[in-house]
Amino acid sequence: MACGFRRSIACQLSRVLDLPPEYLIKSISAVPISRKEEVADFQLSVDSLLENNNDHSRPDIQLQTVRLAEKLKCDTVVSEISTGPGTVNFKINRELLTKTVLQEVIEDGSKYGLKSELFSGLPQKKIVVEFSSPNVAKKFHVGHLRSTIIGNFIANLKEALGHQVTRINYLGDWGMQFGLLGTGFQLFGYEEKLQSNPLQHLFEVYVQVNKEAADDKNVAKSAHEFFQRLELGDTQALALWQKFRDLSIEEYIRIYKRLGVHFDEYSGESFYREKSQEVLKLLDSKGLLQKTIKGTAVVDLSGSGDPSSICTVMRSDGTSLYATRDLAAAIDRMDKYNFDKMIYVTDKGQKKHFQQVFQMLQIMGYDWAERCQHVPFGVVQGMKTRRGDVTFLEDVLNEIRLRMLQNMASVKTTRELENPQETAERVGLAALIIQDFRGFLLSDYQFSWDRVFQSRGDTGVFLQYTHARLHSLEETFGCGYLNDFNTACLQEPQSVSILQHLLRFDEVLYRSAQDLQPRHIVSYLLTLSD
């Protein structure tokens, strides 16, 4: 792999600089490829070696760079050494480059890049990823779609790197909305509609009861009483709630399957209604709980009464809140999984909430709070289906399939397919995901169906098209030649630039593993396809 070359360069540098090779490996990076000229394969940033040195009077970097390059020698691996602005550049023996890269692509298959020395020595960790987390009976909006695909990417990446990953879908299955829903179903619900299309029917009931509660105080009062009955463990109320929850999860599992997403655990706020009371007792015992005039309980995280640092943890009637249940969930997961890292994937609007939750865990004495991380993402605007604004994930999946089928029908080169619906859905989903993953996750963006389905340019459709063409070549010519190739046939600039790009893949994976941004991998694949 690329790291075999890195290791070789690092060993030579190690002898000259009197530093261990392990220290140097991550300072040696692959050079971005250029279509205009042939570039070196690796470069060492001399500045990165000195970044821990605070001596501002250190000699001129360029002078140091030239002196270092003069001390290095070409060998069987490195065929040329040169200098750039603050960098020492290394060109790998072209025959060796071709042979090594192609052999590793063939031998490692889908593990290519993952065996790199960039990842060696990294401990295998237990990682919990909480993502998707829709609210039962409420809209499954675009934010949940983003959370689903981003969380799935992070879980896949961590798993590929050998970590033990637990995927949790933490449903919004508790809270005042269930008071409204329970009352609403008693007033407007139909059992047969609930069985045939649970998500749609519960949503309709929820919308209707909200309107009624706004106009009729008795409906609002009944909803409040229903939720109190739930909190007190009333069997009838709980049986109805359980039915809503079970039917909804059944639907979610079916829809996630279309996305290629699975979860190890369907948890929810409901699991922590009792444990959140223990959290309140613990906060109280540490003198952190303060009662307000309204009867609610709050925690002052500033210690000085700063209103922006006050977090409400209990309603005036003693029932728990989102923050309290999140605290209980974090503590429970640490007991259950003993995680090294827990990642929450939600929109950036919840940034303050998670800051407060992590801070509260810290002041409660849980030093593992620093292992918790919030991965925020921006807002998507303008995603509408033929039915109007996005209501459910299934609406989006059906829209993708429909539009992709229309696109395929309009292209003359589309082959006859055994299952055009499935192909349309898969290509369409890839297009949607690539569109989402091209930029920074934190950025808001304006959604456009037309842009998603463009077959030219840097799009998911183009990526799938390239992949299909390569498969077609393999089917036509077979892959036997890959075990016995002539390196001399692959020395022209185009071949070399592809080999150089393949050489960079482990570095791209490493960067994505560091900042959890999929854009590095997407950009890499689009360049490779070009």
Side-chain angles (χ1 to χ4, degrees):
M1 185 59 221
C3 60
F5 298 137
R6 267 196 210 92
R7 161 71 64 180
S8 181
I9 295 165
C11 286
Q12 192 180 161
L13 285 164
S14 166
R15 290 189 290 272
V16 172
L17 296 167
D18 198 24
L19 288 166
E22 284 68 26
Y23 179 84
L24 296 161
I25 279 168
K26 283 171 189 168
S27 296
I28 301 163
S29 59
V31 178
I33 59 167
S34 165
R35 290 181 181 179
K36 292 173 186 167
E37 57 182 337
E38 193 180 327
V39 293
D41 303 299
F42 291 100
Q43 61 185 21
L44 170 80
S45 164
V46 175
D47 203 30
S48 71
L49 295 179
L50 305 168
E51 62 190 13
N52 296 327
N53 183 349
N54 294 323
D55 179 9
H56 295 294
S57 64
R58 65 188 188 203
D60 177 66
I61 288 284
Q62 199 56 32
L63 189 62
Q64 291 207 33
T65 303
V66 173
R67 281 180 183 164
L68 175 58
E70 284 168 352
K71 292 177 188 172
L72 300 167
K73 292 183 175 66
C74 293
D75 53 21
T76 53
V77 175
V78 177
S79 63
E80 199 178 294
I81 297 168
S82 60
T83 59
T87 63
V88 180
N89 306 322
F90 303 88
K91 186 177 176 181
I92 303 297
N93 174 306
R94 285 292 166 254
E95 199 168 318
L96 185 65
L97 174 80
T98 310
K99 199 171 181 182
T100 308
V101 172
L102 289 182
Q103 268 180 349
E104 291 198 349
V105 167
I106 295 157
E107 286 166 20
D108 294 350
S110 61
K111 298 274 184 206
Y112 179 72
L114 295 166
K115 298 177 180 179
S116 165
E117 200 156 69
L118 289 174
F119 300 111
S120 67
L122 289 179
Q124 302 307 291
K125 294 182 174 179
K126 292 177 187 168
I127 296 171
V128 171
V129 187
E130 181 199 296
F131 63 105
S132 195
S133 308
N135 295 303
V136 174
K138 287 188 179 178
K139 269 190 180 186
F140 191 113
H141 56 72
V142 184
H144 294 122
L145 173 62
R146 284 207 88 189
S147 174
T148 305
I149 60 177
I150 295 165
N152 192 51
F153 162 77
I154 292 169
N156 285 346
L157 180 62
K158 295 291 185 185
E159 227 162 51
L161 293 170
H163 300 297
Q164 187 183 323
V165 177
T166 303
R167 301 154 184 256
I168 295 179
N169 197 340
Y170 183 66
L171 299 173
D173 65 353
W174 202 249
M176 196 54 216
Q177 80 254 34
F178 281 92
L180 283 160
L181 195 59
T183 298
F185 192 74
Q186 287 164 347
L187 292 171
F188 320 112
Y190 293 95
E191 188 60 37
E192 59 274 20
K193 281 189 180 180
L194 181 67
Q195 294 296 334
S196 66
N197 196 343
L199 296 180
Q200 183 67 40
H201 187 52
L202 289 175
F203 177 62
E204 286 164 358
V205 166
Y206 185 68
V207 169
Q208 197 172 348
V209 75
N210 264 295
K211 283 179 188 165
E212 295 289 327
D215 299 331
D216 186 342
K217 284 184 181 173
N218 288 329
V219 174
K221 189 174 175 234
S222 297
H224 196 79
E225 285 166 1
F226 189 93
F227 183 53
Q228 275 190 312
R229 280 166 57 203
L230 276 176
E231 287 261 296
L232 294 167
D234 176 84
T235 49
Q236 269 186 313
L238 279 172
L240 188 60
W241 166 83
Q242 191 71 51
K243 187 194 282 186
F244 295 160
R245 190 181 191 277
D246 292 348
L247 286 167
S248 296
I249 289 177
E250 232 171 83
E251 274 298 270
Y252 286 138
I253 290 170
R254 183 181 65 77
I255 296 162
Y256 286 130
K257 200 173 176 185
R258 285 176 70 180
L259 263 176
V261 172
H262 74 276
F263 292 92
D264 300 301
E265 182 184 299
Y266 279 84
S267 157
E269 293 181 69
S270 59
F271 285 45
Y272 302 106
R273 61 184 191 274
E274 285 169 22
K275 287 183 176 169
S276 59
Q277 295 303 317
E278 291 167 28
V279 167
L280 291 169
K281 282 177 193 165
L282 185 58
L283 285 165
D284 200 22
S285 70
K286 290 183 177 286
L288 297 165
L289 214 57
Q290 297 174 15
K291 282 281 176 75
T292 66
I293 303 164
K294 292 178 182 173
T296 59
V298 300
V299 175
D300 177 9
L301 293 164
S302 67
S304 60
D306 176 3
S308 66
S309 297
I310 286 173
C311 183
T312 307
V313 290
M314 187 184 80
R315 288 193 184 89
S316 55
D317 62 4
T319 56
S320 59
L321 281 152
Y322 185 43
T324 336
R325 296 191 285 268
D326 260 358
L327 289 168
I331 295 162
D332 181 58
R333 288 172 193 170
M334 179 43 99
D335 290 343
K336 191 173 176 182
Y337 298 112
N338 189 26
F339 57 78
D340 298 296
K341 192 85 175 166
M342 178 155 64
I343 299 165
Y344 297 84
V345 184
T346 72
D347 69 78
K348 61 185 178 184
Q350 294 195 46
K351 190 178 176 186
K352 186 180 175 184
H353 164 78
F354 284 108
Q355 280 173 345
Q356 291 189 331
V357 167
F358 302 160
Q359 209 177 330
M360 276 192 279
L361 287 168
Q362 199 86 51
I363 61 175
M364 286 164 81
Y366 297 111
D367 55 1
W368 49 261
E370 62 194 26
R371 300 185 208 172
C372 298
Q373 180 184 1
H374 177 219
V375 176
F377 54 81
V379 178
V380 181
Q381 287 139 345
M383 186 187 269
K384 292 180 188 289
T385 64
R386 312 267 159 124
R387 293 174 55 181
D389 283 336
V390 174
T391 305
F392 297 112
L393 177 57
E394 193 156 30
D395 293 340
V396 180
L397 299 184
N398 292 341
E399 187 80 11
I400 286 168
R401 189 172 59 198
L402 177 69
R403 288 183 185 251
M404 199 63 223
L405 274 169
Q406 289 171 343
N407 269 31
M408 284 156 56
S410 68
V411 176
K412 293 189 177 87
T413 53
T414 299
R415 291 183 187 176
E416 284 293 316
L417 298 166
E418 275 179 40
N419 192 339
Q421 300 253 347
E422 190 187 346
T423 302
E425 187 158 305
R426 286 191 179 192
V427 176
L429 265 175
L432 183 79
I433 291 167
I434 293 298
Q435 170 70 27
D436 196 299
F437 284 1
R438 279 184 59 199
F440 282 97
L441 295 182
L442 204 52
S443 302
D444 299 342
Y445 76 91
Q446 191 69 34
F447 183 83
S448 156
W449 285 109
D450 292 338
R451 194 167 61 240
V452 165
F453 291 128
Q454 279 172 359
S455 56
R456 294 181 185 279
D458 288 346
T459 65
V461 177
F462 166 65
L463 209 56
Q464 290 278 36
Y465 175 66
T466 309
H467 188 252
R469 284 183 68 194
L470 292 170
H471 266 291
S472 176
L473 285 168
E474 283 191 346
E475 281 173 13
T476 306
F477 299 103
C479 299
Y481 65 89
L482 290 175
N483 299 318
D484 182 26
F485 49 83
N486 182 352
T487 55
C489 295
L490 295 166
Q491 299 305 306
E492 82 282 2
Q494 257 188 319
S495 293
V496 172
S497 71
I498 292 173
L499 291 162
Q500 286 178 309
H501 197 58
L502 289 169
L503 196 63
R504 298 179 61 228
F505 187 53
D506 60 344
E507 222 168 85
V508 172
L509 284 175
Y510 183 77
R511 204 174 306 152
S512 273
Q514 294 300 103
D515 66 8
L516 304 182
Q517 295 283 330
R519 66 192 180 88
H520 308 301
I521 296 173
V522 169
S523 171
Y524 172 88
L525 292 174
L526 289 166
T527 304
L528 182 62
S529 296
D530 277 332

